[in-house]
Amino acid sequence: MSGGAERNGGAERNGVKILLMGNPNVGKSVFFTELTGVHAISSNYAGTTVSYMEGEVQLTVDGEQLSVKLIDVPGTYSLKPTSEAESVAARFMEGGASAVICVLDASNLERNLHLALELRRYDIPVVYALNLIDVAERRGISVKAKLLGAELGASVIPTVIVKKQGLDELKKQLETLLSKKNTADNSRNISASCNDCNACPTKGGCDLWKTAKEITRRVSKKEGVGRSFLDKLGDGMIKPFPGIPIAAVVMGAIIAVVVGGGKFLEEVVLGPLIDAFVVPFFEWLFALFIPEGMLLNILVGEYGIFVISFEWIVALILPYVFLFYVVFSFLEDSGYLPRISVLFDNIMRKIGVQGGSLIYAAMGFGCAVPAIIGSRNATSRKERLVITAAICFAIPCISQTGALISLMSAYSWWMIPTLGLLGMFLFTAASLIAGKVIKGKVEPLLIEVPNLLMPEPKAYLRKLATRMKHFLVEAEFPMMVAIVIAALLKETGAIDTIAVHAAPLVSHWLGLPAEAVVGLLLGIIRREMSVAPLLELNLTSLQAFVGGTVSLLYLPCLSVFGILVKEFKLRVAATISISTVLFALLVGGIINQIGQLFI
């Protein structure tokens, strides 16, 4: 499936297709963005680009302006697949292309050359982009690009793609490769470069790792330079000391920025603005031409569309979503997340998953959908299912987290960390139980720890803007649907009828007001909508904590259910969804019943 731009007629008619290949963490998605203008989500760790992106790059070939299809193939270390992402990459190469852009990491050349040598097995013209030369220079590594090109039998363009260095040269070389007068020569040169070698990779007679090592020795030179502060810090982050203290500081900073900053924006900036100006404006506007009654109440009543849409979406959810992406995008681009995975791998393996699964859990705090898709990079189906189940059971998306913070903090500051600890316990329990039930094994952690970098400002801001745009486009409509349903349920009196039938569960077992059934209904559409209605009720502290617990564990929303069906089929999706609902009601009820004993 493509996750990229629409194809236009020009690209389809000329039939030209270019594959963008490379190891994970070499900046491949940034190349895609710069070449096509399609804003792929690029990250400094493996597993982001699992669903391939597709866009178009404008090239001038033989004097003709062409829109050429460019496919960002999932990052892979080899064309002999060991994961689903690598299988996709291998299938793309088997399907053929007009040309290939292979991105190499100049600071880790030997590892990257294994894939570069494998590409020689195909009669497809290749241009190599030698990226991250600035990082290599920082480490005292210099690479002779022309000599490397002679070894590979193709052009090698030095680049620092986040600064657009080498981009124009790369496009010119692509135009040359695609030129009709050069196509035949390109094919012959590729074949010749293999056939003239006694240990040709296409013959299967050489060790590609040995060949990569020999080429690296010939084309690169490492000078003795002092290690930079970032290099030393990066190494320290994967050791218990100072790695654990650093992790504690990072976690504290995340809480301060997301929770503290979000609360400030909600209560000091956006909330008062909406209450003082936005809502009164719409109340005045609709009152001018709509008489009092049901229609006016649906628009600007207690659950009015033009009241709670601003109060819930803009003031309650948006600040936390924005600040989460500010922090998460920085951690991605810096290369910190893989270091956390290595640091806590031993602990994670005790609960049945790799340390690398922490990356998917962190992604799940943004949204469970990309986290589940990203888990395709896991090396076993069991690991995918275990981490997916744990995410669905105990990881709230960021918009739901924002709503939970607002709910809990309205009663007691200590309820926030208490719910957080409960979530950690349930994440552990879900992982352990799923690990016992699901057959198979979890492979040892094999993860690349990328360079620790300060994110490039323009690339970072572009990623942040793209993520917020995706959130607004993908989340706004379902949330508005939920708000419209809430308004209709309230004003038609349907909520009272439903509340009567749900009283044994909602009021007696969970101890919540009858009107809390609205949250259970709306939570099916969007998870944060299971929390927002509780903010309108006069709850006790116990009721607020029970409601927050139920919301935390509640049914995955429709978009998550859809991706579960797509990735694991209907039976798995139904099993996880039904289990989360039953578990949420069970745990919430137990907390209420125990809490009642102390009141």
Side-chain angles (χ1 to χ4, degrees):
M1 178 180 293
S2 169
E6 288 186 14
R7 308 171 181 177
N8 69 21
E12 291 295 317
R13 285 194 299 271
N14 64 55
V16 179
K17 179 173 68 176
I18 299 174
L19 300 181
L20 183 59
M21 306 282 293
N23 289 181
N25 305 317
V26 296
K28 191 165 52 66
S29 293
V30 185
F31 275 90
F32 180 80
T33 298
E34 295 294 349
L35 287 168
T36 67
V38 176
H39 298 299
I41 295 296
S42 59
S43 305
N44 201 26
Y45 62 82
T48 299
T49 318
V50 176
S51 291
Y52 73 87
M53 294 289 294
E54 183 178 311
E56 293 172 6
V57 56
Q58 303 299 317
L59 299 175
T60 302
V61 180
D62 294 328
E64 181 182 359
Q65 187 74 21
L66 294 180
S67 294
V68 177
K69 184 192 303 181
L70 180 68
I71 296 177
D72 182 12
V73 179
T76 180
Y77 295 104
S78 173
L79 295 176
K80 294 180 179 179
T82 59
S83 69
E84 186 173 346
E86 292 183 342
S87 297
V88 172
R91 288 198 295 270
F92 268 117
M93 284 303 299
E94 294 293 341
S98 305
V100 173
I101 303 171
C102 181
V103 183
L104 306 175
D105 179 356
S107 66
N108 291 287
L109 187 59
E110 181 180 330
R111 184 204 66 211
N112 283 239
L113 284 179
H114 185 275
L115 176 63
L117 291 170
E118 283 189 305
L119 293 177
R120 296 169 65 190
R121 296 175 178 173
Y122 302 86
D123 287 337
I124 301 175
V126 182
V127 57
Y128 295 94
L130 186 64
N131 197 36
L132 297 171
I133 56 174
D134 54 337
V135 176
E137 290 173 354
R138 190 182 80 194
R139 296 181 172 183
I141 301 172
S142 59
V143 180
K144 299 176 182 178
K146 289 185 178 180
L147 182 57
L148 178 58
E151 294 280 354
L152 295 174
S155 296
V156 175
I157 311 297
T159 63
V160 181
I161 193 59
V162 293
K163 299 178 181 178
K164 298 186 180 181
Q165 293 180 14
L167 184 63
D168 291 338
E169 291 84 349
L170 181 63
K171 293 180 71 172
K172 289 178 182 178
Q173 185 58 36
L174 279 176
E175 292 169 348
T176 300
L177 286 182
L178 297 176
S179 175
K180 293 178 182 178
K181 61 183 179 182
N182 290 317
T183 302
D185 290 338
N186 287 331
S187 181
R188 284 197 298 272
N189 288 339
I190 293 166
S191 299
S193 68
C194 293
N195 292 331
D196 290 344
C197 177
N198 293 328
C200 175
T202 61
K203 305 294 185 182
C206 74
D207 183 339
L208 293 189
W209 286 115
K210 181 179 179 181
T211 304
K213 184 176 182 179
E214 292 173 351
I215 292 175
T216 301
R217 178 178 57 80
R218 289 195 291 268
V219 305
S220 65
K221 180 180 179 181
K222 183 175 177 63
E223 299 177 355
V225 296
R227 298 175 70 245
S228 70
F229 171 75
L230 285 178
D231 290 334
K232 293 177 182 178
L233 181 62
D235 290 345
M237 285 176 171
I238 62 176
K239 300 174 183 177
F241 184 83
I244 293 177
I246 290 174
V249 171
V250 170
M251 181 58 66
I254 292 172
I255 293 172
V257 172
V258 177
V259 178
K263 200 67 181 172
F264 173 81
L265 289 176
E266 176 195 351
E267 295 186 349
V268 179
V269 180
L270 296 174
L273 179 66
I274 289 170
D275 291 339
F277 299 100
V278 178
V279 171
F281 168 76
F282 282 104
E283 289 176 339
W284 167 79
L285 179 64
F286 288 117
L288 291 177
F289 54 89
I290 298 177
E292 291 188 7
M294 181 181 294
L295 179 57
L296 185 61
N297 289 337
I298 289 175
L299 294 174
V300 291
E302 180 185 357
Y303 274 73
I305 296 169
F306 287 86
V307 175
I308 58 177
S309 61
F310 289 103
E311 291 179 350
W312 291 0
I313 298 176
V314 178
L316 174 63
I317 294 171
L318 203 57
Y320 299 96
V321 172
F322 172 71
L323 291 173
F324 172 81
Y325 283 136
V326 167
V327 172
F328 189 72
S329 297
F330 183 88
L331 294 178
E332 279 184 321
D333 285 359
S334 69
Y336 182 65
L337 292 180
R339 288 171 167 80
I340 283 286
S341 299
V342 174
L343 182 64
F344 292 105
D345 181 54
N346 287 336
I347 295 176
M348 294 298 291
R349 291 195 68 81
K350 293 184 186 314
I351 66 173
V353 292
Q354 291 182 354
S357 297
L358 280 173
I359 291 177
Y360 311 128
M363 293 174 68
F365 278 106
C367 177
V369 171
I372 294 169
I373 293 174
S375 70
R376 292 177 187 168
N377 211 51
T379 54
S380 70
R381 177 177 172 82
K382 176 176 180 175
E383 185 181 357
R384 283 202 72 194
L385 285 170
V386 171
I387 192 61
T388 295
I391 288 171
C392 291
F393 269 89
I395 301 292
C397 66
I398 185 56
S399 51
Q400 183 185 18
T401 300
L404 286 170
I405 291 171
S406 295
L407 177 64
M408 299 292 104
S409 62
Y411 294 88
S412 172
W413 185 86
W414 286 103
M415 290 174 66
I416 299 175
T418 302
L419 190 64
L421 291 173
L422 177 62
M424 291 175 61
F425 171 77
L426 295 173
F427 178 89
T428 302
S431 299
L432 287 171
I433 294 171
K436 296 292 184 182
V437 172
I438 300 170
K439 296 180 180 180
K441 63 179 182 178
V442 176
E443 301 290 342
L445 176 65
L446 181 61
I447 188 172
E448 177 188 356
V449 179
N451 303 303
L452 188 67
L453 303 170
M454 284 301 295
E456 201 281 324
K458 289 184 179 179
Y460 169 78
L461 291 174
R462 183 166 54 199
K463 169 187 282 189
L464 181 60
T466 301
R467 277 208 158 114
M468 289 305 300
K469 179 181 177 182
H470 286 174
F471 172 79
L472 293 174
V473 170
E474 296 170 6
E476 279 291 325
F477 180 73
M479 284 192 286
M480 287 303 300
V481 169
I483 287 170
V484 171
I485 292 173
L488 292 174
L489 288 174
K490 178 68 176 178
E491 295 306 323
T492 60
I495 190 61
D496 297 326
T497 303
I498 297 173
V500 169
H501 291 89
L505 174 65
V506 176
S507 300
H508 300 156
W509 174 244
L510 296 177
L512 298 174
E515 296 89 340
V517 74
V518 174
L520 298 180
L521 296 174
L522 300 185
I524 298 173
I525 302 173
R526 288 283 304 181
R527 294 185 74 176
E528 65 272 12
M529 290 303 164
S530 63
V531 187
L534 300 178
L535 294 165
E536 307 296 324
L537 305 176
N538 186 22
L539 304 177
T540 65
S541 295
L542 176 61
Q543 288 175 326
F545 192 79
V546 169
T549 301
V550 172
S551 173
L552 174 67
L553 302 173
Y554 194 53
L555 177 77
C557 60
L558 289 178
S559 57
V560 176
F561 182 81
I563 202 65
L564 288 173
V565 172
K566 177 185 174 184
E567 297 293 314
F568 304 108
K569 307 304 180 186
L570 179 61
R571 186 177 71 174
V572 172
T575 300
I576 290 177
S577 299
I578 293 172
S579 299
T580 56
V581 172
L582 295 178
F583 194 59
L585 298 176
L586 174 64
V587 174
I590 290 174
I591 292 174
N592 173 58
Q593 299 303 318
I594 294 175
Q596 293 292 342
L597 298 176
F598 297 93
I599 295 179

